[in-house]
Amino acid sequence: MSAFKPVTSDFAVSPQIRAEDLAGLAAAGFRTIVNNRPDGEAPDQASGAEIAAAAAAHGLTYKALPYAGGPPSPAVIEQTAALLAAAPGPILAYCRTGTRSIMAWGMAQALEGNLAPDEIIAKAAEAGYDLAGVRGALERLAPKP
């Protein structure tokens, strides 16, 4: 099973997962799986449909919010914020390395005003990801006092 990295008590990120990982993820307590990776990026990558079927077989909710490279689009940020607010948790989000997933989470947290940019960057760092390079984007998304 891919090693997931806890970010908060209700959210973790992971590199690419495989269909056979879903039993272990369900046993670890996850209730929702979020796919931030477009299909076909690598020949050995499990498709979203494979992960969705395995998630359903283990009673997990599956959501696809794929995006390629760089920061997520405003639509992906808004969809991520809505999903984080409504989906059963804990949530595991994955992509190739976990970077896109942590970035989408961080931008959604900033947009909703749940965490300040410094808090987002610190939580990402604790999970092994560096979001300092998107500090400006986090600050622009954050509600203004």
Side-chain angles (χ1 to χ4, degrees), residues 12 26 35 54-55 61 72 79 81 84 89 91 99 106 108 110-111 125 130 137-138 141-142:
N35 177 2
T61 299
Q79 291 168 341
L84 292 170
I91 297 169
T99 301
L111 178 68
D130 183 2
L138 295 171
L141 286 167

Side-chain angles (χ1 to χ4, degrees), residues 10-95:
D10 283 335
F11 184 81
V13 297
S14 173
Q16 177 69 49
I17 61 174
R18 301 169 306 183
E20 54 267 26
D21 294 334
L22 275 290
L25 293 171
F30 290 103
R31 297 183 58 210
T32 299
I33 305 298
V34 178
N35 177 2
N36 291 124
R37 190 173 190 194
D39 280 344
E41 281 192 327
D44 61 343
Q45 165 188 347
S47 72
E50 291 173 84
I51 301 298
H58 294 286
L60 301 172
T61 299
Y62 171 87
K63 299 291 182 183
L65 294 175
Y67 73 96
S73 69
V76 169
I77 295 168
E78 290 170 8
Q79 291 168 341
T80 300
L83 183 130
L84 292 170
I91 297 169
L92 175 80
Y94 75 92
C95 58

